[in-house]
Amino acid sequence: QVQLVESAGGLVQPGGSLRLSCQASGRANTMAWFRQPAGKEREFVAAIRRGDRAKRYADAVKGRFTISRDDPKNQVYLQMDSLKPDDTAVYFCTATKANWNVSAMPRQEGYELWGQGTQGTVSA
């Protein structure tokens, strides 16, 4: 069973940057980040497919966040720039053996492996 471990999040000021990483203990094909603000539902952030690096972003983060991966290391990253207070949330790394089409990437039920979550806070 593949396990996922996220790096520590942190506290940054509005306009700042934060980089999250996630280590998978084995191979995963589609990997993604979701987030859950306090008191709200978990939502899709970004996903990336192994091999061709097909990506998808939520509209709320497009142009500010960048997802990438290092397949030999089984790692996925989320570079978050121009952060806003609305980006404050617990961020979850997730993965699946499936190679999802871009249209399917935001579906939470498409991922069978989840990390424990890491807090990212944007505040002055």
Side-chain angles (χ1 to χ4, degrees):
Q1 178 80 345
V2 176
Q3 294 184 329
L4 304 174
V5 178
E6 296 114 338
S7 61
L11 169 65
V12 297
Q13 293 186 341
S17 297
L18 188 62
R19 186 174 187 254
L20 303 179
S21 63
C22 174
Q23 177 71 59
S25 60
R27 178 185 172 117
N29 288 327
T30 305
M31 300 188 76
W33 292 92
F34 284 73
R35 67 185 181 185
Q36 186 168 18
K40 297 184 178 181
E41 297 292 319
R42 190 160 58 187
E43 62 186 20
F44 172 76
V45 176
I48 184 169
R49 191 164 62 207
R50 189 184 188 93
D52 65 3
R53 300 293 196 270
K55 302 173 186 177
R56 179 159 179 177
Y57 294 94
D59 288 344
V61 307
K62 205 171 293 183
R64 300 187 299 119
F65 290 14
T66 302
I67 190 170
S68 60
R69 63 187 293 166
D70 185 330
D71 289 338
K73 294 182 179 179
N74 293 318
Q75 291 182 345
V76 65
Y77 311 99
L78 185 67
Q79 177 66 40
M80 303 185 288
D81 299 318
S82 302
L83 283 162
K84 307 173 183 179
D86 284 349
D87 295 316
T88 296
V90 176
Y91 284 78
F92 295 90
C93 173
T94 185
T96 175
K97 295 179 181 179
N99 280 306
W100 290 127
N101 290 330
V102 170
S103 61
M105 286 181 176
R107 297 171 59 245
Q108 294 191 44
E109 58 269 31
Y111 300 89
E112 63 267 19
L113 302 168
W114 291 82
Q116 78 282 2
T118 187
Q119 178 70 44
T121 302
V122 184
S123 175

